Amino acid sequence: LSFRRQFPARILHPSRLGNKWSNGLRAIAVIGNETDRNVLQPALDAGATVLASATNQKLTQGLTTTGIHDNGYKLFAAGKGSIAISPTEWNDPYGVIQDAQRILSRGNDVVRLWNSGSSIAHPTQNNSGASVQVLNYSGRPAGHPMSVWLARRFPEAQVSDLFGRTETLTTDRRNEGTEVNVPVFTTYAAIDFKERA
Amino acid sequence: MTRREWMAQTAAVAAISATPALAAAPSAPVAVARCRSYGPEMVTTLNKMFDQIGGLERIVKGKTVAMKVNLTGSANYRLGYTPAELAHWTHPRVIGATIHAMHRAGAKRVRVLESAWSTAEPIEEGMLEAGWDLSEITSAGGRVEMENTNWLGSDKRYHRFRPANGGHLFREYWLNHSYSDCDVFVSVAKLKEHVTTGVTMSMKNLFGITPCTIYGDGATTDEPLILPKGGRGTVFHAGKRQPAKISPVENDPQSSREAGYRVPRAVADLVSARPVHLAVIDGIATMAGGEGPWCGPQIAQTNPGVLIVGTNPVCTDAVGAAVMGFDPMADRGTAPFETSDNMMRLAEEHGVGTRDLRRIEVLGTPIAKARFSMRSFRAPVARA
């Protein structure tokens, strides 16, 4: 569901976290009531925001509240980061993603799509650049062609389809990132962003 | 006396009694300028235009300014590959340059307002989603705030606004507090055609000040919604349902349900109820054929390269219509009002301002030199 908001996320299990599990994470949504704050402390110390349901008040024990976000979450300072507690119990995964994006702000977007229609995007990073895979699950082109923005500057980009056809795209620097206009496609497009060879 | 004779006589009396109101509709100068880009030339051009209409100091010095901008539709919806600000949204640099000029003229603070599409999220989030650099607005000068007026917002109650003459459509409109908590109201709009009202500029921009919690598709005739849902099609365009009960029912529930009748009347009412002190129309880059990417195959991005500024929204829009190649005195059946009533005439009837170009002083570039044919910029559409 997170990808419907063009919001990159991954699932972590508290019992299978490595040493550097929190590196680069801006936010962590804690599902269930079993996670202790000390598990989250490395992420909080690095400045991440932890979101939790109203049933997870124990995470904020001994912390000072810093206010209430305009979507109703109670905010607490923790390490260099913060903990945001929902005013109600979570029962809608899409709502949680929506809340997370609101609290983080779209200023922290990793990827943006225009004219996305019924498409979802999955960005990944690799040694030589980054890729955004776009899946259009309506199976037909949107009324207007799509543009994609990635929050990192790359001088080169190309798009590929399921049949291996590729096309070089013109990159446009915009707001500390890279924007490309994607030719019309029906189902799948992979946009590879690269450093200059 | 036959019934036909009685009706003719009544119409004549009505026409005579309406004439003084139209003649009394005030006029104010309108500045027009050619401007090809949103670069530094736009800032100097706008400043010169503000000077031409008498300077901003007399309007904003020491005042709290509310500025309605046009960010119609969803933030991730583009006309082809064209960013929203180069087609259907007011450009952020026009917003920033106007804020900067008002700050230099002594404005106490500026609050940028829009009712974001179907959400209560801050309008900053929509701007970010559109790919804008917010600092072009927030750092333009002085104290700048923003509010999404599509819902109750940061106040505890909605505020009532009453148009002249009891209103064409509603006798009162209920709005977010920001339209009340200001000394000066500014409409910073886009120069566009509109599929329902023919054209959209500083007047039609006010259609978006109505909160969808009361007037939206998802609202009911009960209490206002907490969060807005949908657009304004059900209540304003089609008149299929009355607004939330905080609002009175419309003046004549038996009147036409046609959007071309209803929307121009709502706009005229709003311009009367929430007076505009400064109108700025961005026609540097815009679109032809409609007000947004959803308007059909005839739409096309275009770069007319004009700016229009005035202190009376009816006069300013009349000049804007003329610059787009239309006659502001035209009415239903004649372009651009083939399927709608002329909202400028309806606002004129409320005494807001005149649309008669003979009574409007045009400063800067004459209309004849700025004029272009907006219709000629439309995309060709294959006919069956």
Side-chain angles (χ1 to χ4, degrees):
Chain A
L1 285 166
S2 69
F3 295 117
R4 289 183 63 184
R5 297 279 295 187
Q6 323 306 346
F7 191 71
R10 64 174 186 257
I11 297 168
L12 301 165
H13 194 280
S15 65
R16 293 196 287 271
L17 298 176
N19 286 338
K20 297 180 179 175
W21 70 273
S22 65
N23 278 7
L25 294 183
R26 296 283 178 98
I28 298 135
V30 178
I31 313 296
N33 300 328
E34 294 81 37
T35 308
D36 290 329
R37 195 164 81 212
N38 57 7
V39 174
L40 303 165
Q41 203 59 47
L44 289 165
D45 288 342
T49 301
V50 167
L51 294 98
S53 167
T55 58
N56 236 327
Q57 301 279 356
K58 65 171 185 177
L59 289 175
T60 63
Q61 265 176 5
L63 298 179
T64 310
T65 179
T66 56
I68 296 177
H69 192 272
D70 61 25
N71 65 359
Y73 277 61
K74 203 168 186 182
L75 305 173
F76 296 85
K80 289 180 183 170
S82 61
I83 298 176
I85 301 291
S86 166
T88 55
E89 195 174 338
W90 284 346
N91 53 23
D92 173 12
Y94 185 76
V96 174
I97 296 300
Q98 207 168 12
D99 290 342
Q101 195 163 28
R102 275 286 297 107
I103 287 171
L104 285 180
S105 167
R106 287 190 174 274
N108 286 303
D109 280 353
V110 174
V111 63
R112 289 187 189 129
L113 265 57
W114 289 275
N115 300 333
S116 55
S118 301
S119 298
I120 56 173
H122 182 71
T124 51
Q125 198 168 319
N126 53 48
N127 290 337
S128 59
S131 295
V132 179
Q133 297 181 76
V134 185
L135 183 65
N136 176 0
Y137 54 85
S138 75
R140 59 181 184 276
H144 291 272
M146 185 185 292
S147 302
V148 175
W149 177 88
L150 190 67
R152 214 176 117 188
R153 286 197 170 158
F154 291 101
E156 294 180 357
Q158 70 172 30
V159 62
S160 314
D161 67 11
L162 278 176
F163 308 100
R165 291 177 293 224
T166 62
E167 187 178 324
T168 302
L169 302 177
T170 303
T171 57
D172 184 19
R173 284 178 148 211
R174 195 166 149 102
N175 291 341
E176 307 299 320
T178 309
E179 191 173 313
V180 293
N181 295 329
V182 184
V184 173
F185 66 96
T186 52
T187 310
Y188 174 85
I191 303 137
D192 294 310
F193 294 86
K194 292 176 184 168
E195 299 294 349
R196 212 173 292 280
Chain B
M1 184 184 284
T2 65
R3 182 172 172 274
R4 187 179 293 270
E5 286 167 343
W6 178 82
M7 286 178 71
Q9 196 175 61
T10 307
V13 170
I16 290 165
S17 60
T19 305
L22 296 183
S27 181
V30 175
V32 178
R34 305 300 300 259
C35 184
R36 292 286 171 200
S37 80
Y38 292 100
E41 68 159 323
M42 186 268 296
V43 178
T44 49
T45 304
L46 259 186
N47 286 337
K48 185 177 173 188
M49 296 171 83
F50 291 141
D51 288 342
Q52 284 169 333
I53 60 166
L56 291 186
E57 200 167 304
R58 70 190 171 93
I59 303 171
V60 303
K61 188 170 185 183
K63 304 282 179 63
T64 292
V65 178
M67 177 193 282
K68 168 67 172 68
V69 298
N70 187 346
L71 312 180
T72 184
S74 173
N76 66 8
Y77 203 171
R78 283 182 172 180
L79 197 174
Y81 296 128
T82 308
E85 66 273 18
L86 299 179
H88 56 295
W89 281 21
T90 312
H91 199 286
R93 289 190 194 142
V94 172
I95 300 169
T98 305
I99 291 171
H100 182 69
M102 291 195 294
H103 171 62
R104 286 201 324 171
K108 192 162 72 180
R109 64 173 173 164
V110 179
R111 187 178 283 166
V112 179
L113 309 174
E114 174 59 300
S115 300
W117 169 250
S118 200
T119 181
E121 289 185 0
I123 56 173
E124 295 94 316
E125 291 296 302
M127 293 173 176
L128 288 164
E129 191 179 0
W132 285 15
D133 175 0
L134 285 187
S135 68
E136 290 184 324
I137 297 171
T138 55
S139 304
R143 186 172 158 194
V144 181
E145 303 166 358
M146 299 200 207
E147 179 149 6
N148 179 353
T149 57
N150 210 15
W151 66 310
L152 189 59
S154 59
D155 201 1
K156 289 187 171 62
R157 65 183 181 92
Y158 289 97
H159 292 243
R160 179 169 57 194
F161 292 80
R162 290 186 168 125
N165 308 321
H168 289 297
L169 201 64
F170 288 94
R171 69 172 187 271
E172 55 193 44
Y173 292 79
W174 289 80
L175 308 176
N176 174 283
H177 72 98
S178 283
Y179 298 106
S180 182
D181 296 343
C182 61
D183 307 305
V184 173
F185 184 49
V186 180
S187 175
V188 184
K190 203 78 169 176
L191 185 81
K192 292 183 288 189
E193 294 182 87
H194 195 283
V195 293
T196 304
T197 57
V199 290
T200 169
M201 291 170 276
S202 72
M203 291 174 60
K204 177 64 178 59
N205 188 26
L206 268 62
F207 192 57
I209 70 177
T210 51
C212 284
T213 47
I214 297 172
Y215 300 99
D217 298 335
T220 69
T221 50
D222 201 353
E223 297 296 331
L225 298 176
I226 303 296
L227 301 174
K229 193 176 174 189
R232 297 175 181 83
T234 308
V235 173
F236 280 124
H237 283 250
K240 287 180 181 167
R241 182 174 39 70
Q242 296 299 314
K245 69 181 182 185
I246 186 175
S247 164
V249 296
E250 60 187 90
N251 293 346
D252 181 6
Q254 305 308 315
S255 64
S256 172
R257 303 293 94 182
E258 185 212 0
Y261 172 91
R262 300 173 59 77
V263 177
R265 280 167 173 75
V267 171
D269 284 352
L270 290 162
V271 172
S272 166
R274 174 52 278 185
V276 173
H277 300 98
L278 177 68
V280 178
I281 303 173
D282 167 14
I284 296 175
T286 182
M287 61 180 289
E291 71 277 14
W294 51 85
C295 289
Q298 76 284 358
I299 59 173
Q301 199 277 337
T302 185
N303 302 298
V306 293
L307 288 166
I308 302 162
V309 168
T311 53
N312 184 303
V314 182
C315 302
T316 310
D317 282 14
V319 170
V323 167
M324 281 194 275
F326 301 121
D327 177 6
M329 299 299 281
D331 220 312
R332 186 181 279 264
T334 304
F337 308 111
E338 285 94 338
T339 57
S340 72
D341 295 326
N342 183 339
M343 62 191 154
M344 292 177 277
R345 192 245 308 156
L346 294 162
E348 195 175 50
E349 288 174 8
H350 275 337
V352 177
T354 181
R355 65 192 160 121
D356 185 348
L357 296 176
R358 294 169 302 180
R359 295 186 53 219
I360 303 169
E361 183 186 8
V362 177
L363 304 159
T365 307
I367 291 173
K369 285 195 172 172
R371 183 180 284 136
F372 61 93
S373 169
M374 187 62 111
R375 287 280 166 96
S376 71
F377 293 141
R378 287 184 171 195
V381 179
R383 293 188 187 278

